[in-house]
Amino acid sequence: MGLLLRHLLLKCLLFLNLPYFLTQCVSSVQRTCLYSERSALLRLKGSFILDRSASDYSKADSWKLDGWIGRDCCSWDGVECDDNTGHVIGLDLSSSFLYGSIDSNSTLFQLHHLRRLNLFDNDFNGSEIPSAIGKLSELSQLNLSYSAFSGQFPYEVLQLSKLVMLDLSSNAYLSAELPESIGNLKSLSHLDLSFSSISGQIPNSLANLTELTYLSLAFNDFTPSTLSWLAKLSKLTVLNVASTNSYGDVLSSLKNLTRLTEVQLSRNQFSSQIPSWLGNLTWLTTLELGVNQFWGPVPESIFTLIKLESLGLWDNLLTGTYKLESFLNLKNLKQLQLSGNKFSLVTTTVMNVTVPKLTILTLASCNLFEFPNFLSGQNELALLDLSGNKIHGVIPKWMWGLSAQTLEVLSLRENFLTGFHQPGIVPPWTNLRVLDLRSNKLRGSLPIPPASIYQYLVSNNLLKGEISSMICNLPSISILDISNNSFSGMLPPCLGNLSKSLSVLNLQSNNFRGPIPQTCEKRSQLRMIDLSQNQLNGEIPRSLVNCNMLELLNLGNNQIEDTFPSWLGRLQQLKVLVLRHNGFHGAIGKPKSNEFPKLRIFDLSFNKFEGVLPSRHFQRWTAMKVVDLGKLNYLQTSVRFQAQITSWDLKFQYSMTMTKAGVVTKYDKIQDILVAMDLSSNRFEGGIPEDVQILKAVQFLNLSNNLLSGSIPSSMANLTQLEALDLSQNLLSGEIPQELVQLTFLGFFNVSGNQLKGPIPQGKQFGTFENNSFEGNPGLCGKPLSEKCYPEGTSASLSQRDEGGDSWFEFGWKAIMLGFGSGVVNGLVLGYHFNPMKHKWFVKYFGRKLQNRRWGRRN
Ligand SMILES: *[C@@H]1O[C@H](CO)[C@@H](O)[C@H](O)[C@H]1NC(C)=O
Ligand SMILES: *[C@@H]1O[C@H](CO)[C@@H](O)[C@H](O)[C@H]1NC(C)=O
Ligand SMILES: *[C@@H]1O[C@H](CO)[C@@H](O)[C@H](O)[C@H]1NC(C)=O
Ligand SMILES: *[C@@H]1O[C@H](CO)[C@@H](O)[C@H](O)[C@H]1NC(C)=O
Ligand SMILES: *[C@@H]1O[C@H](CO)[C@@H](O)[C@H](O)[C@H]1NC(C)=O
Ligand SMILES: *[C@@H]1O[C@H](CO)[C@@H](O)[C@H](O)[C@H]1NC(C)=O
Ligand SMILES: *[C@@H]1O[C@H](CO)[C@@H](O)[C@H](O)[C@H]1NC(C)=O
Ligand SMILES: *[C@@H]1O[C@H](CO)[C@@H](O)[C@H](O)[C@H]1NC(C)=O
Ligand SMILES: *[C@@H]1O[C@H](CO)[C@@H](O)[C@H](O)[C@H]1NC(C)=O
Ligand SMILES: *[C@@H]1O[C@H](CO)[C@@H](O)[C@H](O)[C@H]1NC(C)=O
Ligand SMILES: *[C@@H]1O[C@H](CO)[C@@H](O)[C@H](O)[C@H]1NC(C)=O
């Protein structure tokens, strides 16, 4: 005990009977801390780096022995002492820039009298919450949120039986589970475990925490459950279980929870009707049911929840027809999200009600036929989504500039809009970040968005004319997609100036002509450039080599005349290179360095390349050599940003066009495990190198329509991932290697139009190929051709012919596509809308195999 304190206590004792001195004595003690605790605090401070810039203030800055006052740690910022004993009972080091590890030896745990501890928003460098936390048995409030703790869930915390408030949210305990003993914290009224990667069961013992008024378990990886224990927590006012893998009829558990003000249930698999008694929860200000399977009608009683500020019913299965007015009668509403249900909204043309001022309004796929005219009075909107409706005609003048100061995101995608009231005029939105006008019938010239724009999407319209160089005055634009319109003229040379901000440039399917401008400046952010299906000519600008983030380059279907751009091989991130249908020519030559290490999709088809196949390059294409068992992902760019009101993580998925079994096919998504090489329709000559077997991950290989000679190397049997192999229309001779029957995923095989001879391999996948896979080879024999190789009766029997009874010979690669939809067989693509074919044999044989395979990839 400090000398000073002893001195003061003495004084107190001496003058105990005199009220004046007593008062003075108490206030003196209050200002003075215990020596041992002061030194514990100083050592605590010393154990961290204060990781901040000069202008940042940390509470710990005031923790120093600085003059008479400084010696009293009770006067330090964030330190609270007990009036009577002088013990440190409260410590608030929130947002104090502390950086460093913490363990049980920390002097923090010598402060046994702590009742309140707040370490929110520091960086404890992935430390586990030290078990010594259990020593602070007086704690009633513990806030460790957002402080870079990780590791095991701290069981010792659950021994702190006096806890009233516990906030462990926004840390990464990386597969920690929540123990049943959490039910022992009977005094708890505030529990926040959100955003913490907690897995395992949600313990039923939570039912025993009957004092809880605030509970958030949102965004964790729990085992699916029904949360029926909620019914016991009758004092709850705030409930957040968004994204907790929960299911069932959660609403019935909320019947008795009449004090609820905020209910956040979104992103689960809850499914039930919405009961009309929900209208009894009259204190509700937030009701978020989005992304679940709630079904049936929206009960009228919802429209009586007059305190509601936020109502989210989006992405459910709700049915019926409702007046938009009914929702707008909720006068306190700020956020209304109704998108993606099965209901219709009717708008009345005259709406003379006092409508609430909304900030977020999403009415996608609500069967709207016109812009709801109440919008004209809305001047505080940040997000407006009217996509997927049936709105026809010209965008009215009052819409174009709506909520001019506040609007951040506007989507009018997938309607029948034909144009703008004032075409070409930059709309007056000063904070607009995302403008999505895709898939309408917009005509006229390209409207230039305001300078604040990040993402501008106008693909699939009928816009035309030249691109004004005003497009280059968009300093923050990250995604520009104007594909599939009728734009013409030369590309503005200033496009290169956008490359510092631009990630995605999609100009595909227009009528642009002339040379490709210098597209990339140094420090380019570009990840995806698609200029395909235009009439661009000239050479590939060498400045593309500055695009060192580039993942996809598609220059297909233009009139580019150049030699093979091996210098693009320096782009270490390049995964997709498509040069099809141009005037490329010459031999591919030898690799110079480590070229194209990540290349997975390589399409040179329909050019005039000549010389031998680039087998020397095969060695360098690392990504094609390794079978990727990783997670299924799509090639995409994500753009994150925080606008004033909304925050976004927008994903832009790359798309691509490729020939599949002769059909030019558009893939709306590209799986990043896909490996494909199309060198067809060129003038490659010489043999197919044995080395081709190095490209172990190749799923799709098209060498058709070249001048290739020699025999088919048996080493191709080592390309175990092959799903389509097209060697047709060449000069290949010799026999088809019998080893190829080992290719169990082969669904398409074509060697027609060569000079092959001898027996066609039999059995397994070869049983599924038709005549046309082999025709035009005068020397081939055996099934499915009618030419027999051996006298009748001696040939090897076809093993699976009888199974299922049907003739499954007609089931080639296409059938596999049919049966397993997108994605599985060759991992290509979504965007296919085939009816699944149910063929018993097929499902039995392939289903199992493909499931295994998919499983393998997932793990
Ligand atoms: C942070 O953690 C890393 C890895 O455990 C360690 O190497 C480093 O020294 C730690 N930094 C501090 C300041 O404790
Ligand atoms: C705490 O300190 C003791 C003695 O200095 C040491 O043996 C022990 O490893 C330390 N514990 C941790 C968790 O660092
Ligand atoms: C934790 O501390 C931060 C900063 O003081 C505060 O914003 C947050 O609300 C606290 N958590 C609880 C549950 O009080
Ligand atoms: C709730 O507490 C009671 C009494 O302490 C105990 O018997 C019961 O098992 C607990 N319930 C759960 C689900 O943990
Ligand atoms: C709801 O409260 C009533 C009356 O207090 C009680 O009888 C009923 O059991 C409670 N229901 C649930 C599900 O707890
Ligand atoms: C809802 O409120 C009405 C009227 O106050 C009452 O009759 C009804 O029983 C309540 N329903 C529930 C489930 O509490
Ligand atoms: C609409 O409301 C305003 C004032 O609230 C009133 O002056 C006007 O007459 C109303 N119009 C109609 C058509 O009811
Ligand atoms: C191009 O846009 C039109 C609408 O203008 C649409 O019908 C068509 O499907 C789009 N084409 C592709 C390949 O997306
Ligand atoms: C790029 O911007 C700079 C200055 O902002 C300008 O001088 C230059 O001409 C622009 N480049 C092109 C190709 O427009
Ligand atoms: C291979 O390419 C040719 C054109 O070069 C095309 O006709 C054929 O369909 C392609 N094969 C496959 C399996 O897509
Ligand atoms: C497949 O590769 C292995 C090892 O590289 C080799 O021994 C084998 O001969 C190859 N198979 C064929 C059919 O070439």
Side-chain angles (χ1 to χ4, degrees):
M1 201 180 288
L3 255 182
L4 174 74
L5 184 72
R6 260 192 241 168
H7 178 65
L8 286 168
L9 281 177
L10 199 65
K11 251 185 169 176
C12 294
L13 290 173
L14 279 175
F15 298 100
L16 205 56
N17 54 345
L18 299 174
Y20 168 73
F21 279 105
L22 183 63
T23 317
Q24 196 186 38
C25 153
V26 168
S27 69
S28 299
V29 173
Q30 179 192 358
R31 302 299 313 154
T32 312
C33 74
L34 299 166
Y35 173 81
S36 61
E37 295 191 348
R38 186 178 70 193
S39 103
L41 288 173
L42 285 174
R43 282 161 67 200
L44 177 65
K45 174 185 174 183
S47 67
F48 298 113
I49 296 164
L50 295 182
D51 184 19
R52 39 94 195 250
S53 61
S55 60
D56 292 325
Y57 171 74
S58 164
K59 296 193 184 75
D61 284 339
S62 69
W63 294 19
K64 54 190 171 205
L65 299 173
D66 186 12
W68 178 250
I69 295 193
R71 288 176 188 277
D72 179 7
C73 69
C74 297
S75 69
W76 293 350
D77 201 359
V79 179
E80 181 193 357
C81 296
D82 183 273
D83 287 355
N84 295 312
T85 64
H87 284 299
V88 175
I89 55 167
L91 204 52
D92 179 356
L93 280 170
S94 58
S95 304
S96 291
F97 306 96
L98 304 184
Y99 167 61
S101 307
I102 181 168
D103 63 31
S104 285
N105 283 343
S106 168
T107 53
L108 174 66
F109 304 111
Q110 295 170 9
L111 303 169
H112 292 284
H113 299 272
L114 272 183
R115 293 178 210 158
R116 289 173 278 279
L117 175 60
N118 190 348
L119 299 177
F120 167 84
D121 184 25
N122 288 290
D123 181 354
F124 297 112
N125 195 24
S127 307
E128 283 190 17
I129 295 179
S131 59
I133 193 91
K135 291 190 199 163
L136 305 180
S137 57
E138 296 297 316
L139 276 180
S140 73
Q141 297 184 15
L142 178 59
N143 189 344
L144 302 182
S145 162
Y146 196 60
S147 275
F149 281 110
S150 70
Q152 288 300 313
F153 189 84
Y155 288 79
E156 289 76 11
V157 168
L158 307 177
Q159 295 159 7
L160 303 171
S161 59
K162 295 187 180 168
L163 276 181
V164 173
M165 187 279 271
L166 178 59
D167 187 349
L168 300 177
S169 63
S170 305
N171 288 296
Y173 314 108
L174 269 112
S175 74
E177 297 192 8
L178 201 55
E180 277 285 330
S181 56
I182 191 147
N184 298 338
L185 300 177
K186 294 235 166 51
S187 310
L188 217 50
S189 86
H190 186 119
L191 176 60
D192 193 343
L193 300 172
S194 56
F195 294 97
S196 295
S197 347
I198 304 175
S199 60
Q201 301 277 353
I202 301 180
N204 285 325
S205 60
L206 284 173
N208 273 349
L209 304 183
T210 50
E211 294 300 313
L212 278 179
T213 58
Y214 181 110
L215 174 63
S216 178
L217 301 174
F219 290 88
N220 282 295
D221 307 323
F222 295 119
T223 314
S225 73
T226 59
L227 312 183
S228 53
W229 45 267
L230 275 174
K232 297 276 171 51
L233 307 182
S234 59
K235 293 189 179 165
L236 271 189
T237 59
V238 177
L239 171 65
N240 188 349
V241 290
S243 197
T244 49
N245 298 326
S246 308
Y247 66 95
D249 179 6
V250 68
L251 294 177
S252 68
S253 307
L254 307 186
K255 234 181 208 171
N256 275 2
L257 280 50
T258 50
R259 301 183 192 179
L260 282 171
T261 60
E262 292 178 32
V263 173
Q264 186 32 291
L265 304 176
S266 56
R267 297 176 198 277
N268 285 291
Q269 287 94 46
F270 293 126
S271 98
S272 70
Q273 299 210 37
I274 300 180
S276 66
W277 59 255
L278 211 58
N280 286 12
L281 304 181
T282 50
W283 296 101
L284 281 181
T285 58
T286 299
L287 180 60
E288 284 292 342
L289 308 181
V291 198
N292 278 292
Q293 283 137 38
F294 290 109
W295 51 277
V298 178
E300 288 288 324
S301 64
I302 291 276
F303 304 127
T304 66
L305 292 171
I306 197 71
K307 291 195 162 61
L308 274 183
E309 290 167 20
S310 177
L311 175 61
L313 304 178
W314 46 298
D315 283 2
N316 278 292
L317 307 168
L318 301 169
T319 50
T321 300
Y322 307 92
K323 286 186 189 156
L324 188 50
E325 276 163 299
S326 308
F327 291 97
L328 298 174
N329 277 332
L330 300 168
K331 293 289 180 290
N332 291 301
L333 222 48
K334 289 272 167 216
Q335 307 193 358
L336 177 61
Q337 302 207 60
L338 303 176
S339 294
N341 278 287
K342 298 180 160 188
F343 57 56
S344 300
L345 290 180
V346 235
T347 55
T348 36
T349 31
V350 185
M351 283 228 295
N352 206 14
V353 284
T354 354
V355 205
K357 300 275 191 200
L358 300 172
T359 54
I360 291 180
L361 178 63
T362 68
L363 302 177
S365 306
C366 285
N367 285 307
L368 290 171
F369 285 86
E370 58 187 0
F371 290 105
N373 72 346
F374 87 92
L375 285 176
S376 65
Q378 292 292 312
N379 53 12
E380 292 175 18
L381 281 169
L383 164 64
L384 177 61
D385 184 356
L386 298 175
S387 61
N389 281 295
K390 294 168 179 155
I391 308 177
H392 285 73
V394 170
I395 301 174
K397 196 174 170 183
W398 60 263
M399 267 297 298
W400 204 234
L402 182 78
S403 294
Q405 309 300 317
T406 54
L407 199 65
E408 293 168 359
V409 178
L410 174 63
S411 177
L412 302 177
R413 178 183 180 177
E414 288 175 52
N415 277 288
F416 300 90
L417 301 169
T418 53
F420 313 90
H421 204 268
Q422 290 168 292
I425 303 282
V426 180
W429 290 298
T430 48
N431 282 302
L432 195 68
R433 304 286 188 227
V434 178
L435 180 56
D436 188 348
L437 301 172
R438 280 179 283 183
S439 301
N440 277 287
K441 307 210 168 304
L442 296 173
R443 292 171 183 278
S445 58
L446 180 70
I448 302 295
S452 55
I453 205 81
Y454 284 24
Q455 196 170 121
Y456 185 35
L457 312 168
V458 288
S459 55
N460 304 339
N461 278 291
L462 304 166
L463 296 167
K464 61 178 196 221
E466 300 200 1
I467 302 298
S468 142
S469 58
M470 277 168 71
I471 198 85
C472 305
N473 301 338
L474 303 173
S476 310
I477 192 162
S478 173
I479 294 181
L480 176 63
D481 185 354
I482 63 170
S483 62
N484 192 19
N485 277 284
S486 301
F487 294 116
S488 56
M490 314 254 277
L491 293 174
C494 64
L495 271 186
N497 271 5
L498 286 181
S499 71
K500 278 197 203 107
S501 64
L502 211 56
S503 302
V504 170
L505 176 64
N506 193 350
L507 308 181
Q508 181 235 109
S509 296
N510 280 289
N511 299 316
F512 291 116
R513 62 188 161 72
I516 303 173
Q518 302 293 335
T519 320
C520 287
E521 292 195 338
K522 294 238 157 62
R523 295 195 305 282
S524 154
Q525 295 296 312
L526 273 165
R527 290 164 180 273
M528 188 272 205
I529 299 177
D530 190 341
L531 306 179
S532 65
Q533 305 187 57
N534 281 289
Q535 290 140 43
L536 299 169
N537 57 25
E539 295 187 341
I540 307 184
R542 297 309 190 249
S543 63
L544 270 182
V545 83
N546 292 329
C547 296
N548 50 19
M549 313 271 277
L550 201 63
E551 294 176 322
L552 181 150
L553 177 63
N554 190 346
L555 301 177
N557 297 73
N558 278 291
Q559 291 147 22
I560 301 166
E561 299 198 7
D562 204 339
T563 52
F564 180 69
S566 59
W567 47 273
L568 282 176
R570 278 193 265 158
L571 300 178
Q572 302 286 305
Q573 302 302 323
L574 197 67
K575 293 176 179 161
V576 181
L577 177 61
V578 179
L579 303 178
R580 71 195 309 268
H581 250 297
N582 274 290
F584 286 96
H585 50 80
I588 292 200
K590 290 183 188 130
K592 293 192 184 66
S593 58
N594 262 0
E595 289 176 358
F596 300 110
K598 291 218 171 135
L599 199 64
R600 304 188 136 256
I601 299 177
F602 184 53
D603 186 349
L604 300 186
S605 62
F606 294 98
N607 279 292
K608 294 175 202 147
F609 286 115
E610 59 194 34
V612 295
L613 290 177
S615 60
R616 296 263 201 110
H617 290 259
F618 296 170
Q619 300 279 354
R620 320 262 168 162
W621 296 347
T622 316
M624 295 212 199
K625 295 191 326 200
V626 184
V627 179
D628 188 349
L629 300 177
K631 264 191 170 169
L632 289 169
N633 281 313
Y634 297 103
L635 294 183
Q636 64 186 15
T637 290
S638 35
V639 180
R640 285 195 192 143
F641 64 90
Q642 170 74 52
Q644 273 165 336
I645 293 175
T646 52
S647 82
W648 293 88
D649 182 2
L650 298 168
K651 298 198 176 356
F652 185 90
Q653 274 159 335
Y654 304 163
S655 59
M656 188 179 68
T657 306
M658 256 182 84
T659 311
K660 298 271 318 185
V663 183
V664 177
T665 311
K666 167 107 190 275
Y667 300 123
D668 291 338
K669 299 181 183 183
I670 311 170
Q671 286 194 352
D672 67 357
I673 53 166
L674 174 68
V675 179
M677 180 150 75
D678 189 345
L679 305 181
S680 68
S681 296
N682 276 288
R683 296 172 189 166
F684 288 113
E685 60 196 15
I688 301 175
E690 286 278 339
D691 275 8
V692 73
Q693 65 164 322
I694 291 172
L695 306 176
K696 288 236 175 351
V698 167
Q699 290 155 274
F700 177 100
L701 180 60
N702 194 346
L703 301 177
S704 109
N705 201 15
N706 278 292
L707 304 168
L708 299 173
S709 55
S711 57
I712 301 174
S714 61
S715 66
M716 286 187 116
N718 270 343
L719 298 177
T720 52
Q721 303 299 305
L722 265 187
E723 291 163 14
L725 176 60
D726 193 341
L727 304 176
S728 63
Q729 310 301 330
N730 277 293
L731 306 168
L732 297 169
S733 55
E735 298 192 358
I736 302 175
Q738 296 295 322
E739 290 89 341
L740 296 189
V741 292
Q742 296 163 21
L743 296 173
T744 39
F745 295 126
L746 200 63
F748 180 98
F749 180 74
N750 194 348
V751 290
S752 64
N754 279 290
Q755 289 152 25
L756 298 165
K757 62 180 195 312
I760 292 174
Q762 300 293 322
K764 295 196 178 159
Q765 284 308 93
F766 275 77
T768 66
F769 305 136
E770 299 175 55
N771 275 11
N772 55 15
S773 289
F774 304 99
E775 64 199 8
N777 289 284
L780 282 181
C781 62
K783 288 183 169 154
L785 299 178
S786 48
E787 290 82 3
K788 305 253 178 340
C789 300
Y790 306 98
E792 190 120 37
T794 61
S795 72
S797 72
L798 286 180
S799 52
Q800 288 132 349
R801 178 91 212 241
D802 298 331
E803 215 171 331
D806 303 3
S807 159
W808 38 265
F809 279 97
E810 59 196 354
F811 285 67
W813 179 62
K814 214 166 145 198
I816 297 177
M817 285 302 298
L818 293 171
F820 287 87
S822 42
V824 182
V825 166
N826 51 22
L828 265 177
V829 184
L830 298 186
Y832 266 92
H833 298 290
F834 286 129
N835 290 322
M837 285 177 83
K838 294 197 180 71
H839 188 283
K840 262 189 283 174
W841 169 83
F842 183 80
V843 172
K844 198 168 121 202
Y845 182 69
F846 278 96
R848 195 171 1 102
K849 192 175 286 181
L850 291 167
Q851 264 164 18
N852 291 345
R853 183 173 195 213
R854 185 152 58 155
W855 181 250
R857 281 186 173 161
R858 284 254 163 92
N859 287 273

